[in-house]
């Protein structure tokens, strides 16, 4: 079975929890998971548990920029450079580890804000390894990601 692309979106809670459940299930069945969050500060309680589960590699974001609407142009440019690099690092790690599941929590929000390169994201989704399942979360996913 080819790895699917999941989009979990909506205004309420449950998107990240769903991706965590999928990660635990995959790791529990012997799979390899790479999990990273965008636009979050890595301080949510579930992060510490994910780091302890064999088979799950949690990739921290080491820099935090606050809310996009509160950033000045210089801060936005620094955030853009950081998240573009972070995205490339995470997808390369998923390839290196031959991951079965890649979770990109809040990637679509970073995409909507222009903090990740649209072409790089779309190219990755179109050329990802066949066996890699990808989970993306956010509110209001872009139409081209849904397609």
């Amino acid at each position: 079975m080819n790895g699917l692309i999941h989009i979990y979106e909506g205004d309420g809670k449950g998107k990240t929890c769903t991706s965590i459940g999928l990660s635990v299930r995959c790791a529990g069945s012997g799979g390899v998971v790479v999990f990273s969050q965008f636009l979050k500060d890595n301080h949510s309680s579930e992060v510490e548990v994910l780091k302890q589960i064999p088979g799950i590699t949690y990739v921290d974001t080491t820099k935090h920029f606050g809310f996009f609407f509160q950033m000045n142009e210089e801060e936005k440019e620094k955030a853009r450079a950081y998240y573009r690099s972070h995205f490339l690092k995470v997808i390369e790690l998923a390839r290196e580890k031959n991951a079965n599941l890649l979770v990109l929590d809040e990637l679509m929000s970073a995409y909507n804000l222009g903090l990740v390169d649209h072409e790089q994201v779309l190219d990755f989704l179109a050329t990802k390894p066949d066996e890699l399942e990808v989970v993306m979360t956010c509110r209001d996913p872009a139409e081209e990601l849904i397609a």
Side-chain angles (χ1 to χ4, degrees):
M1 179 170 124
N2 286 347
L4 302 173
I5 297 173
H6 303 243
I7 293 178
Y8 294 98
E9 58 95 15
D11 293 329
K13 294 183 178 239
K15 299 175 291 293
T16 298
C17 289
T18 298
S19 67
I20 289 168
L22 291 167
S23 298
V24 170
R25 182 177 70 187
C26 182
S29 65
V32 176
V33 179
V34 174
F35 192 111
S36 191
Q37 296 178 309
F38 292 74
L39 308 178
K40 293 184 175 180
D41 65 5
N42 301 318
H43 285 53
S44 53
S45 57
E46 66 269 12
V47 167
E48 292 309 312
V49 172
L50 287 175
K51 289 178 181 179
Q52 296 174 33
I53 299 173
I56 298 179
T57 300
Y58 182 85
V59 185
D60 284 322
T61 48
T62 57
K63 293 185 181 182
H64 309 288
F65 300 93
F67 292 109
F68 186 78
F69 68 89
Q70 294 176 329
M71 291 182 212
N72 62 36
E73 286 307 312
E74 181 181 338
E75 292 166 328
K76 287 178 183 177
E77 191 53 44
K78 286 180 182 177
R80 198 170 289 116
Y82 176 79
Y83 285 117
R84 288 176 181 195
S85 173
H86 182 75
F87 172 74
L88 294 175
K89 174 179 139 181
V90 170
I91 63 171
E92 182 59 31
L93 183 62
R95 285 187 173 115
E96 287 172 9
K97 289 186 163 285
N98 294 316
N100 304 102
L101 179 65
L102 172 61
V103 176
L104 301 167
D105 190 35
E106 293 297 336
L107 173 73
M108 293 186 298
S109 294
Y111 183 96
N112 290 342
L113 294 169
L115 294 174
V116 291
D117 184 275
H118 291 192
E119 292 303 316
Q120 287 178 336
V121 171
L122 295 171
D123 181 60
F124 166 70
L125 294 173
T127 63
K128 71 173 190 59
D130 287 338
E131 66 281 356
L132 179 63
E133 201 151 334
V134 177
V135 172
M136 300 180 293
T137 68
C138 90
R139 294 180 167 93
D140 303 317
E143 288 299 320
E144 61 270 22
L145 292 175
I146 293 171

